[in-house]
Amino acid sequence: MVPRKIAVLTSGGDAPGMNAAIRAVVRTGIDKGWEVFGVRNGYAGMCDGQMEPLGAREVGNILQRGGTFLGSARLPEFKDPAVRARGMAQLEAKGIDGLVVIGGNGSQSGALALSRMGLAVVGVASTIDNDLAGSEMTIGVDTALNIALEAIDRLRVTASSHKRAFLVEVMGRNCGYLALMAGIAGGADSVVVPEVEVAPEDIARDLQGAWERGKAHALVVVAEGARHNAVRLAQHFEQEKGRLGFDLRVTTLGHVQRGGAPGAFDRLLATRLAAAATDQLARGEHGRLVGLMRGEIRATPLDEVVGVPKGIDLGLLQLQKVLAQ
Ligand code: ADP
């Protein structure tokens, strides 16, 4: 019998742990007797036919590395069915009949669209934003959170030496998960997330209150997707510096949050999810996203997760306020 051929690609924003996922797709696929192709540069490479078979050795020594050795890309044109058909034709030309898409919300929208065109696709939830319904934790978010925390801990040291307040902006696109968790674990005085509208005046009150309670420093963790991001908040406070008590500084963490080596949690999650993805394909089950739900690996139909708002735990936001006193 001709061995089955599948392909794996990484798409959208890179996330620590994507390499571990690629490795597990390749090796569990080979274990099933399949040939596994690695597609370069996401959907862009798929449309250009940039794909080659990967052996077990070719995915050696990548488990511990951040980023994605296959490369990632953004291809807005992939929303066009004609462009997707071009990509599918590239797979067909090589006899590939299954695809694993490692990526976030946008990438899984592409996976759903391909699935509706008849391709056997399984998605693996991977984004540092943790904005994908169908997985309580996505690959990369734990590592990104730890990097943000390390930065916050360091800022706290310098802040307390100078009686300063820091506005620290973290990533997360339109999702406040990273900001909320970094805020709680980093002992922030205030957290600003896109999901809950806050007026700059509320933040000013938090800072003032911290000053009056005798705190030596203050930290506000702001999600990049919040209406009042860190830069806008700082601009707002420019006129009322004296009122806050603290001297104010802004630090935007940006892409340093992405580039870390995956921690144990992300390596294990990536490995388990990727193995579950090839198991799904082997069972003839596809059009699904594999993710972590209540501590277990679960597959959910892509049309139930793509574009579905995930939300954040508002109870934790409340807890953060209590802990900031
Ligand atoms: P992420 O997967 O990290 O959320 P993006 O939102 O940038 O990243 O999406 C990655 C890629 O997925 C896009 O550049 C595009 O090629 C593809 N994509 C996004 N949305 C769709 C869609 N609605 N239909 C088809 N492809 C899409």
Side-chain angles (χ1 to χ4, degrees):
M1 202 179 104
V2 183
R4 184 172 184 186
K5 293 182 188 176
I6 68 158
V8 57
L9 62 79
T10 48
S11 165
D14 65 310
M18 279 182 158
N19 279 326
I22 297 165
R23 170 181 177 270
V25 169
V26 170
R27 293 193 177 169
T28 58
I30 290 171
D31 185 59
K32 290 174 166 57
W34 302 345
E35 198 170 353
V36 184
F37 284 67
V39 180
R40 300 270 163 193
N41 307 319
Y43 293 129
M46 178 178 159
C47 291
D48 294 342
Q50 297 173 34
M51 54 193 86
E52 64 216 34
L54 292 173
R57 293 286 70 71
E58 279 146 306
V59 291
N61 205 21
I62 63 168
L63 173 73
Q64 75 283 14
R65 295 197 189 143
T68 159
F69 94 105
L70 284 176
S72 190
R74 291 199 160 98
L75 180 70
E77 299 81 12
F78 208 65
K79 290 180 184 158
D80 177 350
V83 174
R84 290 198 298 276
R86 216 172 77 211
M88 283 179 58
Q90 294 283 4
L91 297 183
E92 274 165 30
K94 294 199 162 53
I96 295 166
D97 65 357
L99 177 68
V100 176
V101 173
I102 302 167
N105 229 323
S107 305
Q108 303 307 340
S109 304
L112 174 60
L114 287 171
S115 156
R116 285 181 170 152
M117 290 169 78
L119 184 67
V121 193
V122 176
V124 171
S126 178
T127 162
I128 67 157
D129 304 329
N130 207 26
D131 61 350
L132 196 46
S135 198
E136 284 157 358
M137 291 287 278
T138 52
I139 298 169
V141 66
D142 182 68
T143 303
L145 182 54
N146 276 298
I147 294 169
L149 264 185
E150 197 182 319
I152 286 169
D153 289 348
R154 289 180 186 192
L155 290 172
R156 182 197 284 277
V157 172
T158 172
S160 60
S161 304
H162 292 272
K163 285 218 154 205
R164 278 182 179 147
F166 271 84
L167 297 176
V168 189
E169 188 173 291
V170 300
M171 284 187 147
R173 277 173 140 181
N174 296 318
C175 178
Y177 181 90
L178 264 184
L180 176 57
M181 296 305 167
I184 292 175
D189 294 278
S190 207
V191 171
V192 184
V193 291
E195 291 85 350
V196 181
E197 178 82 39
V198 287
E201 194 48 35
D202 298 333
I203 307 301
R205 257 199 306 275
D206 286 346
L207 290 176
Q208 241 180 332
W211 177 264
E212 282 160 13
R213 292 196 301 280
K215 288 200 174 186
H217 59 267
L219 281 168
V220 182
V221 180
V222 188
E224 65 178 355
R227 192 158 84 86
H228 294 100
N229 63 15
V231 170
R232 286 205 197 111
L233 281 175
Q235 280 164 354
H236 184 89
F237 296 145
E238 191 60 27
Q239 295 91 35
E240 38 190 337
K241 271 181 181 160
R243 201 190 115 198
L244 297 179
F246 298 103
D247 184 20
L248 195 66
R249 292 286 189 277
V250 176
T251 297
T252 301
L253 298 184
H255 287 80
V256 291
Q257 288 157 102
R258 279 195 195 282
F265 183 90
D266 280 325
R267 291 185 205 188
L268 292 169
L269 180 64
T271 301
R272 293 172 73 200
L273 291 185
T278 57
D279 281 348
Q280 287 278 313
L281 286 174
R283 284 201 292 269
E285 291 168 357
H286 42 80
R288 297 175 176 199
L289 176 87
V290 288
L292 186 73
M293 298 297 275
R294 295 174 191 263
E296 288 180 12
I297 307 298
R298 288 278 164 81
T300 313
L302 279 163
D303 59 1
E304 289 177 21
V305 298
V306 162
V308 174
K310 190 171 184 182
I312 52 166
D313 187 337
L314 295 177
L316 283 179
L317 196 60
Q318 211 46 49
L319 176 62
Q320 179 278 318
K321 290 190 201 313
V322 173
L323 297 175
Q325 59 194 304

